Amino acid sequence: MNQDSAPRQLFSPQRRRLAMARGARLAQLHGAFLAEHMADEIVERLGWVTRDFGEALVLGMAPPSLIAALEGRGMRLTLAGPIGRDIEYDEDLLPFAPASFDLVIALGTLDSVNDLPGALIQINRSLRPDGLMMAAMIGAGSLPRLKAAMLAADEAGGRGVAARIHPQIDVRAAGDLLQRARFAMPVADSDTLNVRYSSLPALIADLRAHGWTNTLATSGPAVGKLGLLAAMQRFAEDADSDGKTPERFEILYLSGWAPSPDQPKPAKRGSATASLAGLLDKARKDQSGG
């Protein structure tokens, strides 16, 4: 195969590993609150599942709170991913034999894998019958202030608009991908986190601590001093009266079961009258007496 016929990659695996390795170091020093939020939500949702899980695979980010919660339920964990503690593999190149795990949790990294449909198919294949997959990642609608700031930086540089922000998928597309990967009873929903930042560098620091900086295979040149000043000014223009700028994170949550003959038949698509997020919110209110 010549170089021209080789499949082109959207993300650079090397840049991705470097970004995630740096993020892991920073998270140990300063924390990674968005990953911890995702992990807490996954743990809460998992708490509504009454069955036991023996072998569990954690792909991507693995905050200590997630590890403690899973081990507290008696699970034997394998931590994998581009910088996995036990096994280092990209999520679309998993080395595991079919039916190796009862539970797979993919946290915070599927949005930057080159072959997301392939990764979901491989996750499904690695599950035992009636095994569960749960995932969380950044979705469409995230980081509008950063996008505007990067556009301002490119305009100030006068060299055209460059690809600097990862493409993002929405809830509907996520649900379609789960169906394509042949998960039973697939569910995709989202929640919104609004975080206020004192400056653009403060936002960038948070993204670095999660390994969520630009890992595109083809990216534009560095913005330069003039571009950086323009980006910081554009970001500050959206600030509230106290000088802090709100940024939005749309977090997608995906779940699905490996097919099993004794599973209930799924309802016809479009027949649901309530979202999973709404049901969880109602359950939380019921528990708190609100």
Side-chain angles (χ1 to χ4, degrees), residues 100-121:
S100 294
F101 302 99
D102 304 295
L103 172 69
V104 175
I105 292 176
L107 190 72
T109 61
L110 285 183
D111 60 305
S112 61
V113 69
N114 272 305
D115 184 6
L116 179 54
L120 292 172
I121 289 170

Side-chain angles (χ1 to χ4, degrees), residues 215-257:
T215 61
L216 293 168
T218 303
S219 186
V223 297
K225 184 176 180 180
L226 184 62
L228 178 59
L229 290 173
M232 293 176 64
Q233 180 178 352
R234 179 64 183 85
F235 190 79
E237 288 174 1
D238 290 322
D240 295 330
S241 58
D242 62 355
K244 292 187 176 182
T245 301
E247 183 59 288
R248 183 169 73 245
F249 295 88
E250 292 287 340
I251 302 177
L252 295 182
Y253 295 98
L254 287 66
S255 66
W257 297 82

Side-chain angles (χ1 to χ4, degrees), residues 38 108 110-112 116 136-144 147 165-174 189-193 212 248-254:
M38 291 179 180
L110 285 183
D111 60 305
S112 61
L116 179 54
M137 60 182 175
I138 296 298
S142 298
L143 301 170
K147 293 175 183 177
I165 308 294
H166 294 177
Q168 300 161 347
I169 67 170
D170 60 17
V171 171
R172 180 176 291 275
D189 65 288
S190 67
D191 72 358
T192 302
L193 278 183
W212 291 343
R248 183 169 73 245
F249 295 88
E250 292 287 340
I251 302 177
L252 295 182
Y253 295 98
L254 287 66

Side-chain angles (χ1 to χ4, degrees), residues 126-164:
S126 73
L127 285 167
R128 293 168 182 152
D130 205 32
L132 175 62
M133 185 277 299
M134 305 184 79
M137 60 182 175
I138 296 298
S142 298
L143 301 170
R145 310 299 190 195
L146 178 62
K147 293 175 183 177
M150 291 299 97
L151 179 59
D154 284 332
E155 290 175 344
R159 290 174 293 187
V161 177
R164 301 190 186 278

Side-chain angles (χ1 to χ4, degrees), residues 7-24:
R8 299 194 177 187
Q9 294 183 317
L10 179 60
F11 299 100
S12 163
Q14 294 76 21
R15 293 185 66 181
R16 192 168 179 256
R17 289 190 184 93
L18 288 172
M20 291 181 182
R22 178 178 62 182

